[in-house]
Amino acid sequence: VQDLRRKLSDMKIGYTTMNTPADIAPRVLGPMLEDAGFDSIWIGEHSHIPVSRATPYPTGGDMPWQYTTMMDPFISLTQIGEHTSNLLLGLGVALPLEHDVLVLAKTAATLDVLSNGRLQFGVGVGWNQEELANHSSVKWSMRYRALAECVSALKSLWVDDESEFHGSYFNFDKVWSRPKPMQNPHPPIWFGAGGKLGSQHTIQWADGWMPLDVTLGDVTKRVNKFRQLSTDAGRQDIPISMVAFGDPTLDTLMMYRDLGIERVIVGSGREGWEDPSGVPSFIERYATMRDKLL
């Protein structure tokens, strides 16, 4: 019982940003979050957005213009790391299928080394079919399988002294890929995907699950289902970082806590999210909520 109470009281709060030039500069935002008691920052990526695309925006309606101006997450996280001491640096999420795997392994390892082992490697398959097609010949229907293979290749490059990988989508003979990440054996890999495939792949190859909670109605059912599947697979201790959409209330945070969720990530779709001037008060509000959860 004491262990359970300790687990429920240790829920962390992270923050996610669109990371555009109009947002608060990374070198300012990082210390602001660390001083407020946030444990992490999470930054997603889009290398580009195709002007002509058939893929609809996932939540419906017009795609927010901020997607067209997102900065590079690795560079922004590096700057945040230079101006903070303990704040975890999360990719929320990276799109590995849009990278050369050898370059991505070195970039991520370098960030982990320079930040003294603070990288959290969140990955996803993306939502824009045309964007992936501009980078890769991987069929959209095969993107989950290709990502699983990409993660396996990355693990080899991060862990093995002489790395070698031969798969359907990634293939290289023995190479030296250095530096290795500071974290052993590698930075935690979070899979940012919900649904049946997201759960299955998380259990197969990820270190943690990072779903988006757009509608609160089924979150308890989804979490319990995931826990049952992971237990059946012999992986009952997979941590969960829940990305909360909008402005979750204290009661919602308490619900997450009571479900044993390790971390809630706020900032996605917050009220007035287009206006960066509201960020300091938003951070202060959730810092206060965090204190009430302890």
Side-chain angles (χ1 to χ4, degrees):
V1 174
Q2 289 180 344
D3 288 343
L4 177 59
R5 287 176 179 170
R6 186 178 301 111
K7 182 177 182 180
L8 294 181
S9 68
D10 285 347
M11 191 180 74
K12 307 173 185 71
I13 296 184
Y15 180 80
T16 184
T17 173
M18 288 293 287
N19 189 39
T20 76
D23 290 316
I24 295 176
R27 65 181 180 277
V28 176
L29 179 60
M32 187 183 300
L33 291 167
E34 188 165 69
D35 291 344
F38 283 63
D39 91 302
S40 55
I41 182 166
W42 301 80
I43 299 178
E45 77 166 335
H46 285 280
S47 62
H48 69 288
I49 296 293
V51 173
S52 177
R53 60 185 174 86
T55 306
Y57 185 58
T59 59
D62 294 333
M63 181 191 71
W65 64 267
Q66 286 85 349
Y67 276 92
T68 67
T69 61
M70 292 173 68
M71 297 188 293
D72 183 274
F74 291 94
I75 296 175
S76 294
L77 289 173
T78 299
Q79 187 180 81
I80 292 171
E82 291 177 345
H83 289 83
T84 56
S85 300
N86 300 305
L87 193 72
L88 297 180
L89 309 175
L91 291 156
V93 293
L95 302 175
L97 295 181
E98 298 184 6
H99 291 264
D100 178 286
V101 70
L102 297 168
V103 175
L104 179 59
K106 183 176 289 288
T107 299
T110 300
L111 176 53
D112 197 55
V113 169
L114 294 180
S115 66
N116 292 317
R118 287 189 277 155
L119 176 62
Q120 302 286 303
F121 197 70
V123 300
V125 294
W127 57 268
N128 193 314
Q129 184 171 348
E130 291 72 41
E131 181 181 345
L132 175 61
N134 285 343
H135 281 282
S136 171
S137 61
V138 171
K139 293 182 179 179
W140 186 248
S141 61
M142 302 300 290
R143 65 194 187 281
Y144 281 85
R145 184 175 298 181
L147 177 61
E149 188 175 291
C150 183
V151 169
S152 293
L154 286 169
K155 288 179 179 179
S156 175
L157 291 164
W158 287 334
V159 175
D160 300 334
D161 181 52
E162 295 184 354
S163 308
E164 181 177 9
F165 193 86
H166 301 287
S168 300
Y169 302 98
F170 299 90
N171 186 65
F172 51 85
D173 292 325
K174 287 185 178 182
V175 300
W176 288 310
S177 180
R178 299 167 181 164
K180 300 300 185 186
M182 179 169 286
Q183 296 180 81
N184 186 23
H186 53 71
I189 298 171
W190 297 83
F191 191 27
K196 184 177 180 180
L197 276 177
S199 297
Q200 290 176 345
H201 280 270
T202 298
I203 293 166
Q204 288 171 10
W205 50 259
D207 299 304
W209 189 40
M210 190 167 56
L212 173 64
D213 183 13
V214 179
T215 58
L216 297 175
D218 66 345
V219 65
T220 299
K221 180 179 179 180
R222 289 170 62 201
V223 169
N224 289 337
K225 178 65 173 178
F226 174 79
R227 289 248 169 79
Q228 183 60 58
L229 291 172
S230 59
T231 297
D232 291 345
R235 296 199 61 200
Q236 61 270 23
D237 295 326
I238 298 176
I240 301 173
S241 285
M242 183 66 68
V243 181
F245 191 82
D247 294 47
T249 64
L250 179 59
D251 286 342
T252 299
L253 298 188
M254 288 181 173
M255 176 192 67
Y256 292 145
R257 180 198 64 185
D258 294 344
L259 284 171
I261 289 173
E262 175 182 282
R263 176 186 295 108
V264 59
I265 301 171
V266 298
S268 178
R270 66 176 178 86
E271 184 177 353
W273 70 278
E274 301 92 343
D275 183 5
S277 67
V279 170
S281 60
F282 181 87
I283 290 173
E284 182 178 355
R285 186 194 326 161
Y286 284 94
T288 301
M289 289 187 191
R290 174 188 172 275
D291 292 340
K292 293 178 180 179
L293 291 168
L294 298 178

